[in-house]
Amino acid sequence: MRKFGYLLYKDYLLLKRDVAGLLLMFLMPAILVVLMALLQESSYRALTEASVPLLLVNRDQGELGEAIDNRSRPRTYSRLTER
Amino acid sequence: MDNLFAIETRDLKKTYKNKSHPTLNGFSLQIAYGSLFGLLAPNGAGKTTAINIICGLRRYDSGEIFIDGHNVSDGMQHVKPLLGLIPQEIALFPSLTAYENLKIFGGLYGLGKKLLEERIDQLLELFDLSASRNSYINRFSGGMKRRVNVIAGMLHAPKILILDEPTVGVDAQSRRLILEKLTDINKAGTTILFISHYLEEAEQICNQVAFMDNGTIVCQGNPADLIAGNSECSCLESLYLLLTGKKMRDSQ
């Protein structure tokens, strides 16, 4: 256990005197997080905001046609085109 | 004392996977207690492999190794505290001070705080580095780094000290100081295995030497006796060249 303590002491001293290394150690993960968030966001947006034009011609005028019309509207992946 | 030798190797063999010829080929060595033993060999003769195997840093194919009577194949837990290895490369942290480096190495050897402080002070004083104890290693000269490197390997007062070319790349003053202190440490009872390319150093300080070539010991004995035993040779270097040849070995 004492030997482990000396190893920690050695690493502490080495890190303390390596300012560039220390900065890289803490900054690089932060930069990576920001970079990955930006990259992921654009791909996520492409997935969630994709809209497929959907033509709905409702000649039913009954309950079933109305139900289909209502159910289709809130879908984010389609853009309802009415006639 | 049952065993006569601080280090004894018997018929050690080691072949690396990517090599066709063995690096160690029947390497047998006996180093008596209290001796200052020089292991001299050309480049690529296998001396670093032999040292690494003796210190348990590398595996061997066959043979036996005894350190202070302990068979290394039974485990290194009894052997490691007895050994102090000073590698050829500077094994220090450049951005730490001499004191911090020594504190960390001493701590890893398991020394208590008070004993460690005493040993650091004592050895820094011995190697004339007390004034630089709080200076960073990256501001040290080659000779100073080498001296701190030597201190780091002997903080735990090992019974057997192994030095792999401890005077490479240092000035005459540092070299003289290192050799002088090693002789003093040896006189105080520590067995020293000294590896060097500088034959005049070995002739000057060692009471036993061995020449190694092609993975095996070709000659072993007291330097003066070895020279006296061969009428063609006037110094250790001429005997060394006679036994190991003049062919370059860098390609091995």
Side-chain angles (χ1 to χ4, degrees):
Chain A
M1 196 60 203
R2 186 190 282 169
K3 288 182 186 178
F4 185 67
Y6 276 104
L7 286 175
L8 287 179
Y9 173 65
K10 182 255 297 173
D11 284 337
Y12 164 71
L13 289 177
L14 289 175
L15 267 179
K16 200 176 78 170
R17 284 171 201 166
D18 183 13
V19 180
L22 205 60
L23 278 174
L24 275 178
M25 188 183 277
F26 286 101
L27 282 181
M28 286 310 278
I31 291 169
L32 186 73
V33 166
V34 171
L35 202 68
M36 289 310 288
L38 289 171
L39 286 170
Q40 294 280 29
E41 194 225 359
S42 60
S43 59
Y44 186 65
R45 191 189 294 156
L47 186 73
T48 55
E49 293 183 5
S51 56
V52 179
L54 176 69
L55 177 65
L56 180 69
V57 181
N58 184 3
R59 289 184 177 168
D60 180 63
Q61 302 299 325
E63 281 180 21
L64 187 61
E66 197 179 347
I68 292 171
D69 189 359
N70 287 338
R71 291 281 177 102
S72 303
R73 282 183 190 279
R75 299 280 184 232
T76 53
Y77 52 79
S78 64
R79 192 170 68 240
L80 199 64
T81 307
E82 287 183 272
R83 277 247 166 150
Chain B
M1 198 179 291
D2 293 328
N3 52 307
L4 294 167
F5 303 113
I7 299 175
E8 185 179 9
T9 68
R10 291 179 194 162
D11 200 26
L12 270 189
K13 286 182 182 162
K14 168 76 182 174
T15 306
Y16 288 106
K17 277 179 189 170
N18 54 349
K19 293 264 179 104
S20 55
H21 61 278
T23 303
L24 293 184
N25 190 13
F27 179 81
S28 297
L29 186 72
Q30 290 87 33
I31 301 176
Y33 283 103
S35 60
L36 207 168
F37 192 99
L39 183 61
L40 311 166
N43 289 330
K47 55 187 184 298
T48 303
T49 299
I51 295 309
N52 287 340
I53 287 173
I54 288 170
C55 294
L57 301 174
R58 214 173 264 286
R59 290 176 184 212
Y60 52 99
D61 300 334
S62 64
E64 281 182 307
I65 308 169
F66 296 91
I67 309 284
D68 194 32
H70 300 283
N71 192 334
V72 164
S73 64
D74 295 338
M76 290 298 288
Q77 69 271 22
H78 300 297
V79 173
K80 280 195 172 170
L82 303 171
L83 294 174
L85 174 65
I86 293 150
Q88 192 178 342
E89 298 80 23
I90 301 291
L92 301 168
F93 299 103
S95 58
L96 304 187
T97 65
Y99 172 75
E100 287 165 348
N101 265 286
L102 296 175
K103 191 175 170 186
I104 289 160
F105 284 113
L108 294 176
Y109 282 126
L111 298 182
K113 200 177 171 184
K114 199 181 166 199
L115 178 65
L116 179 56
E117 294 280 345
E118 280 173 15
R119 285 291 293 166
I120 291 174
D121 289 341
Q122 188 188 346
L123 289 168
L124 284 174
E125 182 69 39
L126 187 71
F127 282 89
D128 203 13
L129 285 166
S130 292
S132 310
R133 62 181 276 142
N134 292 319
S135 301
Y136 293 105
I137 293 294
N138 53 18
R139 292 183 192 156
F140 275 24
S141 68
M144 290 165 85
K145 282 181 193 169
R146 189 61 70 177
R147 279 183 275 156
V148 179
N149 205 38
V150 171
I151 295 174
M154 49 195 291
L155 281 166
H156 59 305
K159 208 170 170 180
I160 301 162
L161 196 58
I162 300 173
L163 300 106
D164 195 355
E165 304 193 25
T167 56
V168 167
V170 301
D171 58 20
Q173 287 82 0
S174 285
R175 180 179 296 179
R176 188 195 59 83
L177 183 78
I178 291 171
L179 296 179
E180 212 174 85
K181 297 308 170 191
L182 287 180
T183 311
D184 292 346
I185 291 161
N186 174 247
K187 280 179 184 161
T190 306
T191 304
I192 295 179
L193 172 55
F194 178 81
I195 296 155
S196 180
H197 281 302
Y198 302 112
L199 296 159
E200 70 281 11
E201 276 182 7
E203 196 170 341
Q204 182 191 334
I205 67 163
C206 296
N207 45 39
Q208 285 283 307
V209 292
F211 296 149
M212 182 182 179
D213 201 12
N214 296 318
T216 190
I217 298 292
V218 292
C219 177
Q220 181 175 341
N222 177 275
D225 293 344
L226 290 176
I227 296 164
N230 198 310
S231 55
E232 292 173 48
C233 304
S234 57
C235 63
L236 211 55
E237 186 170 339
S238 53
L239 181 64
Y240 173 81
L241 288 172
L242 183 77
L243 291 170
T244 60
K246 291 181 181 173
K247 192 183 158 199
M248 300 297 279
R249 313 298 174 86
D250 292 343
S251 59
Q252 286 189 8

